[in-house]
Short mmCIF file of all heavy atoms in Angstrom, two decimals:
data_model
loop_
_atom_site.label_atom_id
_atom_site.label_comp_id
_atom_site.label_asym_id
_atom_site.label_seq_id
_atom_site.Cartn_x
_atom_site.Cartn_y
_atom_site.Cartn_z
N GLY H 1 25.01 3.89 9.90
CA GLY H 1 23.87 3.34 9.19
C GLY H 1 22.52 3.81 9.71
O GLY H 1 21.50 3.17 9.47
N ARG H 2 22.50 4.98 10.42
CA ARG H 2 21.26 5.49 10.98
C ARG H 2 20.86 6.78 10.29
O ARG H 2 21.71 7.54 9.82
CB ARG H 2 21.40 5.77 12.49
CG ARG H 2 21.81 4.56 13.32
CD ARG H 2 21.67 4.88 14.80
NE ARG H 2 22.35 6.11 15.18
CZ ARG H 2 23.63 6.20 15.54
NH1 ARG H 2 24.37 5.10 15.57
NH2 ARG H 2 24.17 7.36 15.87
N ASN H 3 19.57 7.03 10.24
CA ASN H 3 19.08 8.31 9.78
C ASN H 3 19.35 9.37 10.85
O ASN H 3 19.26 9.07 12.04
CB ASN H 3 17.57 8.26 9.53
CG ASN H 3 17.21 7.53 8.25
OD1 ASN H 3 17.90 7.67 7.25
ND2 ASN H 3 16.15 6.75 8.29
N TYR H 4 19.67 10.56 10.42
CA TYR H 4 19.80 11.67 11.37
C TYR H 4 18.54 12.50 11.24
O TYR H 4 18.48 13.46 10.49
CB TYR H 4 21.04 12.50 11.07
CG TYR H 4 21.32 13.54 12.14
CD1 TYR H 4 21.52 13.16 13.47
CD2 TYR H 4 21.38 14.90 11.83
CE1 TYR H 4 21.75 14.11 14.46
CE2 TYR H 4 21.63 15.85 12.81
CZ TYR H 4 21.81 15.44 14.13
OH TYR H 4 22.05 16.37 15.11
N TRP H 5 17.51 12.14 11.99
CA TRP H 5 16.18 12.71 11.83
C TRP H 5 16.14 14.21 12.07
O TRP H 5 15.33 14.93 11.45
CB TRP H 5 15.21 12.00 12.78
CG TRP H 5 15.12 10.53 12.56
CD1 TRP H 5 15.68 9.54 13.32
CD2 TRP H 5 14.44 9.87 11.49
NE1 TRP H 5 15.39 8.31 12.80
CE2 TRP H 5 14.63 8.48 11.68
CE3 TRP H 5 13.69 10.30 10.40
CZ2 TRP H 5 14.09 7.53 10.82
CZ3 TRP H 5 13.14 9.37 9.54
CH2 TRP H 5 13.35 8.01 9.75
N TYR H 6 16.96 14.69 12.96
CA TYR H 6 16.92 16.10 13.32
C TYR H 6 17.22 17.01 12.13
O TYR H 6 16.84 18.18 12.11
CB TYR H 6 17.88 16.37 14.47
CG TYR H 6 17.86 17.79 14.98
CD1 TYR H 6 16.72 18.32 15.59
CD2 TYR H 6 18.97 18.61 14.86
CE1 TYR H 6 16.69 19.62 16.06
CE2 TYR H 6 18.96 19.92 15.33
CZ TYR H 6 17.82 20.42 15.93
OH TYR H 6 17.80 21.71 16.38
N ARG H 7 17.88 16.47 11.12
CA ARG H 7 18.18 17.27 9.92
C ARG H 7 16.88 17.84 9.31
O ARG H 7 16.90 18.90 8.67
CB ARG H 7 18.92 16.40 8.90
CG ARG H 7 19.27 17.10 7.59
CD ARG H 7 20.21 18.28 7.84
NE ARG H 7 20.49 19.04 6.65
CZ ARG H 7 21.56 18.87 5.89
NH1 ARG H 7 22.44 17.94 6.20
NH2 ARG H 7 21.77 19.60 4.82
N TYR H 8 15.78 17.14 9.54
CA TYR H 8 14.51 17.55 8.95
C TYR H 8 13.95 18.82 9.58
O TYR H 8 13.00 19.41 9.07
CB TYR H 8 13.50 16.41 9.10
CG TYR H 8 12.26 16.54 8.25
CD1 TYR H 8 12.35 16.68 6.86
CD2 TYR H 8 11.00 16.54 8.82
CE1 TYR H 8 11.21 16.81 6.08
CE2 TYR H 8 9.85 16.66 8.06
CZ TYR H 8 9.97 16.80 6.68
OH TYR H 8 8.83 16.93 5.92
N ILE H 9 14.56 19.28 10.67
CA ILE H 9 14.06 20.49 11.32
C ILE H 9 14.11 21.68 10.37
O ILE H 9 13.26 22.58 10.43
CB ILE H 9 14.87 20.80 12.62
CG1 ILE H 9 14.17 21.89 13.45
CG2 ILE H 9 16.30 21.20 12.30
CD1 ILE H 9 12.82 21.51 13.98
N GLU H 10 15.07 21.69 9.46
CA GLU H 10 15.19 22.78 8.50
C GLU H 10 13.93 22.85 7.62
O GLU H 10 13.38 23.94 7.40
CB GLU H 10 16.42 22.59 7.62
CG GLU H 10 17.73 22.59 8.38
CD GLU H 10 18.91 22.29 7.48
OE1 GLU H 10 18.72 22.21 6.25
OE2 GLU H 10 20.03 22.15 7.99
N GLU H 11 13.48 21.70 7.14
CA GLU H 11 12.30 21.68 6.27
C GLU H 11 11.03 22.01 7.05
O GLU H 11 10.13 22.68 6.55
CB GLU H 11 12.15 20.33 5.58
CG GLU H 11 11.03 20.31 4.56
CD GLU H 11 11.04 19.09 3.67
OE1 GLU H 11 12.12 18.46 3.54
OE2 GLU H 11 9.99 18.76 3.11
N ILE H 12 10.95 21.54 8.30
CA ILE H 12 9.78 21.85 9.12
C ILE H 12 9.65 23.36 9.30
O ILE H 12 8.57 23.94 9.13
CB ILE H 12 9.89 21.16 10.49
CG1 ILE H 12 9.78 19.63 10.33
CG2 ILE H 12 8.81 21.66 11.44
CD1 ILE H 12 10.04 18.87 11.60
N LEU H 13 10.75 24.00 9.64
CA LEU H 13 10.72 25.45 9.84
C LEU H 13 10.36 26.18 8.54
O LEU H 13 9.60 27.15 8.55
CB LEU H 13 12.07 25.94 10.36
CG LEU H 13 12.41 25.51 11.79
CD1 LEU H 13 13.89 25.76 12.09
CD2 LEU H 13 11.54 26.24 12.80
N ASP H 14 10.89 25.68 7.43
CA ASP H 14 10.60 26.29 6.13
C ASP H 14 9.12 26.17 5.81
O ASP H 14 8.49 27.12 5.32
CB ASP H 14 11.44 25.61 5.05
CG ASP H 14 11.26 26.27 3.69
OD1 ASP H 14 11.59 27.46 3.55
OD2 ASP H 14 10.76 25.59 2.77
N ARG H 15 8.53 25.01 6.08
CA ARG H 15 7.10 24.82 5.81
C ARG H 15 6.23 25.70 6.69
O ARG H 15 5.11 26.05 6.31
CB ARG H 15 6.73 23.34 6.00
CG ARG H 15 7.34 22.43 4.95
CD ARG H 15 6.76 21.05 5.02
NE ARG H 15 7.32 20.18 3.99
CZ ARG H 15 6.75 19.06 3.59
NH1 ARG H 15 5.62 18.65 4.14
NH2 ARG H 15 7.32 18.31 2.66
N LEU H 16 6.73 26.01 7.87
CA LEU H 16 6.00 26.91 8.76
C LEU H 16 6.20 28.38 8.40
O LEU H 16 5.60 29.26 9.00
CB LEU H 16 6.46 26.68 10.21
CG LEU H 16 6.05 25.35 10.84
CD1 LEU H 16 6.74 25.17 12.19
CD2 LEU H 16 4.53 25.27 11.01
N GLY H 17 7.05 28.61 7.41
CA GLY H 17 7.31 29.99 7.00
C GLY H 17 8.21 30.74 7.96
O GLY H 17 8.17 31.98 8.01
N LEU H 18 9.05 30.00 8.70
CA LEU H 18 9.90 30.62 9.70
C LEU H 18 11.35 30.65 9.22
O LEU H 18 11.87 29.65 8.71
CB LEU H 18 9.83 29.84 11.02
CG LEU H 18 8.45 29.81 11.69
CD1 LEU H 18 8.48 28.87 12.88
CD2 LEU H 18 8.04 31.22 12.13
N THR H 19 11.98 31.77 9.38
CA THR H 19 13.40 31.90 9.07
C THR H 19 14.20 31.61 10.34
O THR H 19 13.92 32.18 11.39
CB THR H 19 13.72 33.32 8.58
OG1 THR H 19 12.96 33.59 7.38
CG2 THR H 19 15.20 33.48 8.29
N ALA H 20 15.15 30.71 10.24
CA ALA H 20 15.94 30.33 11.41
C ALA H 20 17.40 30.14 11.01
O ALA H 20 17.71 29.83 9.87
CB ALA H 20 15.40 29.05 12.03
N GLU H 21 18.26 30.33 11.98
CA GLU H 21 19.70 30.24 11.75
C GLU H 21 20.28 29.03 12.48
O GLU H 21 20.02 28.84 13.66
CB GLU H 21 20.39 31.51 12.26
CG GLU H 21 21.89 31.52 12.08
CD GLU H 21 22.51 32.81 12.57
OE1 GLU H 21 21.82 33.85 12.58
OE2 GLU H 21 23.70 32.77 12.97
N PRO H 22 21.06 28.19 11.78
CA PRO H 22 21.71 27.08 12.48
C PRO H 22 22.88 27.59 13.33
O PRO H 22 23.62 28.48 12.91
CB PRO H 22 22.21 26.19 11.34
CG PRO H 22 22.41 27.13 10.19
CD PRO H 22 21.36 28.19 10.34
N VAL H 23 23.01 27.03 14.52
CA VAL H 23 24.13 27.40 15.40
C VAL H 23 24.74 26.10 15.96
O VAL H 23 24.04 25.11 16.16
CB VAL H 23 23.68 28.31 16.57
CG1 VAL H 23 23.20 29.65 16.04
CG2 VAL H 23 22.60 27.65 17.42
N GLY H 24 26.03 26.12 16.22
CA GLY H 24 26.71 24.96 16.77
C GLY H 24 26.43 24.78 18.25
O GLY H 24 25.93 25.68 18.93
N ARG H 25 26.79 23.61 18.77
CA ARG H 25 26.54 23.30 20.19
C ARG H 25 27.24 24.29 21.12
O ARG H 25 26.76 24.52 22.23
CB ARG H 25 27.01 21.87 20.51
CG ARG H 25 26.27 20.81 19.74
CD ARG H 25 26.51 19.42 20.30
NE ARG H 25 27.87 18.93 20.20
CZ ARG H 25 28.41 18.38 19.13
NH1 ARG H 25 27.71 18.28 18.01
NH2 ARG H 25 29.65 17.92 19.16
N ALA H 26 28.35 24.85 20.68
CA ALA H 26 29.09 25.78 21.54
C ALA H 26 28.24 26.96 21.97
O ALA H 26 28.43 27.52 23.05
CB ALA H 26 30.36 26.26 20.83
N VAL H 27 27.28 27.36 21.14
CA VAL H 27 26.43 28.51 21.46
C VAL H 27 25.59 28.24 22.71
O VAL H 27 25.21 29.18 23.42
CB VAL H 27 25.52 28.86 20.25
CG1 VAL H 27 24.46 29.87 20.64
CG2 VAL H 27 26.37 29.40 19.11
N LEU H 28 25.30 26.98 23.00
CA LEU H 28 24.46 26.64 24.16
C LEU H 28 25.08 27.10 25.47
O LEU H 28 24.37 27.27 26.47
CB LEU H 28 24.20 25.13 24.21
CG LEU H 28 23.55 24.51 22.97
CD1 LEU H 28 23.31 23.02 23.20
CD2 LEU H 28 22.25 25.22 22.62
N ALA H 29 26.38 27.30 25.49
CA ALA H 29 27.07 27.74 26.70
C ALA H 29 27.64 29.15 26.55
O ALA H 29 28.45 29.58 27.38
CB ALA H 29 28.19 26.76 27.05
N ASP H 30 27.19 29.86 25.53
CA ASP H 30 27.73 31.18 25.22
C ASP H 30 26.66 32.25 25.41
O ASP H 30 25.79 32.43 24.55
CB ASP H 30 28.24 31.20 23.77
CG ASP H 30 28.77 32.57 23.35
OD1 ASP H 30 28.92 33.45 24.22
OD2 ASP H 30 29.02 32.75 22.14
N PRO H 31 26.66 32.97 26.53
CA PRO H 31 25.62 33.98 26.78
C PRO H 31 25.51 35.02 25.66
O PRO H 31 24.40 35.41 25.29
CB PRO H 31 26.07 34.63 28.10
CG PRO H 31 26.85 33.54 28.79
CD PRO H 31 27.58 32.84 27.68
N ALA H 32 26.63 35.45 25.12
CA ALA H 32 26.59 36.45 24.05
C ALA H 32 25.96 35.88 22.78
O ALA H 32 25.19 36.56 22.09
CB ALA H 32 28.00 36.95 23.75
#
């Protein structure tokens, strides 16, 4: 029953004119 506020990061980046790629948490520990 909670909002997931972080989802809005996609729209923020779009409004800034920035292209960004979503990555899963596993990438945080993946040097490559």
Side-chain angles (χ1 to χ4, degrees):
R2 302 191 308 272
N3 284 321
Y4 188 58
W5 301 104
Y6 183 65
R7 179 62 184 264
Y8 194 57
I9 192 64
E10 298 176 6
E11 186 168 338
I12 292 173
L13 291 167
D14 184 63
R15 291 190 179 199
L16 290 171
L18 297 173
T19 299
E21 180 179 333
V23 295
R25 297 193 295 278
V27 169
L28 303 182
D30 178 10

